[in-house]
């Protein structure tokens, strides 16, 4: 029994050393992994499980004292976690705006109201770029996403109005506009 206890203690001590070494060698990767999980990157199940498998290989390499392999591959794993995090942030922030643009595309508003459609798409691209440039600036992201959403909803409304007047005589359009202005 004492021999088993001594073996167990030695294994625990070795595991603790490996864990501390992993934390030191993979600190940046662990930070990126935590950020990706916080952002909801786990919803990309296949990509997330692949990068998790690579992360596990890094920790195993450190456990068997192959630190050079871990150091050589950690940047790639870190970049993949950061990419998943960015995608999750974009999906959370831009999901509604993307749905608006997709609805407009399905409803053929790109043809019916091309200027408004183009503006809405441009604002979506601006918001996407803002997130890419600084994924942690919540205020700037919220502002850009708010603008994109406004122009997307505006485009939908303009499209509805234009489609309502598609087969109307010009006089009816003018009378309706007059009513709106008064």
């Amino acid at each position: 029994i004492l021999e088993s206890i001594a073996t167990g203690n030695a294994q625990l001590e070795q595991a603790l050393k490996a864990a501390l070494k992993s934390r030191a060698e993979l600190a940046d990767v662990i930070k990126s992994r935590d950020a990706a999980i916080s952002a909801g990157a786990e919803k990309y199940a296949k990509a997330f499980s692949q990068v998790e498998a690579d992360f596990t290989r890094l920790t195993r390499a450190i456990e068997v004292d192959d630190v050079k392999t871990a150091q050589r591959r950690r940047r790639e794993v870190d970049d993949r976690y950061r990419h998943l995090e960015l995608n999750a942030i974009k999906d959370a922030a831009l999901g509604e705006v993307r749905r608006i643009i997709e609805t407009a595309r399905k409803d053929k508003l790109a043809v019916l109201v091309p200027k408004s459609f183009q503006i809405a798409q441009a604002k979506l691209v601006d918001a996407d770029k803002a997130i890419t440039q600084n994924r942690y600036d919540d205020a700037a992201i919220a502002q850009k996403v708010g603008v994109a959403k406004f122009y997307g909803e505006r485009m939908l409304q303009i499209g509805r109005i234009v489609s309502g007047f598609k087969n109307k005589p010009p006089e009816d359009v003018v009378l309706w506009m007059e009513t709106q202005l008064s």
Side-chain angles (χ1 to χ4, degrees):
I1 293 174
L2 290 176
E3 188 177 311
S4 295
I5 292 173
T7 302
N9 282 338
Q11 290 172 341
L12 284 174
E13 189 175 317
Q14 189 175 5
L16 180 61
K17 285 179 185 177
L20 292 173
K21 197 172 193 180
S22 289
R23 268 192 226 130
E25 289 294 329
L26 302 175
D28 52 342
V29 179
I30 292 168
K31 183 179 176 185
S32 295
R33 180 180 183 268
D34 291 344
I37 291 169
S38 294
E42 293 169 303
K43 70 181 171 186
Y44 309 110
K46 185 177 179 183
F48 189 79
S49 66
Q50 288 172 346
V51 73
E52 282 284 286
D54 288 343
F55 178 70
T56 301
R57 282 192 272 285
L58 289 179
T59 59
R60 283 195 187 122
I62 290 173
E63 284 176 19
V64 297
D65 213 24
D66 187 6
V67 177
K68 287 185 181 185
T69 297
Q71 288 174 338
R72 197 172 49 247
R73 302 244 9 251
R74 71 179 173 200
R75 177 58 40 211
E76 174 197 341
V77 174
D78 184 60
D79 289 345
R80 288 170 54 207
Y81 275 127
R82 291 184 50 74
H83 181 73
L84 286 172
E85 176 201 15
L86 182 61
N87 286 344
I89 291 169
K90 285 182 179 183
D91 282 351
L94 298 173
E96 188 176 351
V97 179
R98 287 178 178 158
R99 282 188 292 280
I100 290 171
I101 299 288
E102 189 54 35
T103 298
R105 188 172 282 119
K106 286 179 185 174
D107 292 347
K108 309 238 188 292
L109 293 185
V111 175
L112 193 60
V113 289
K115 292 175 187 171
S116 297
F117 187 82
Q118 188 176 16
I119 291 169
Q121 276 194 309
K123 297 303 180 182
L124 173 63
V125 169
D126 288 348
D128 189 277
K129 284 180 184 175
I131 295 170
T132 300
Q133 290 170 354
N134 193 352
R135 67 184 78 188
Y136 304 118
D137 189 349
D138 293 337
I141 290 171
Q143 191 271 333
K144 291 283 188 179
V145 169
V147 169
K149 185 178 176 191
F150 169 80
Y151 280 98
E153 290 173 345
R154 178 177 177 263
M155 179 242 332
L156 287 178
Q157 289 187 352
I158 291 170
R160 287 185 192 116
I161 292 168
V162 169
S163 68
F165 286 114
K166 230 175 176 178
N167 299 320
K168 300 277 184 187
E171 183 182 17
D172 287 349
V173 175
V174 172
L175 290 172
W176 178 85
M177 287 174 55
E178 196 175 67
T179 304
Q180 294 301 309
L181 291 173
S182 66

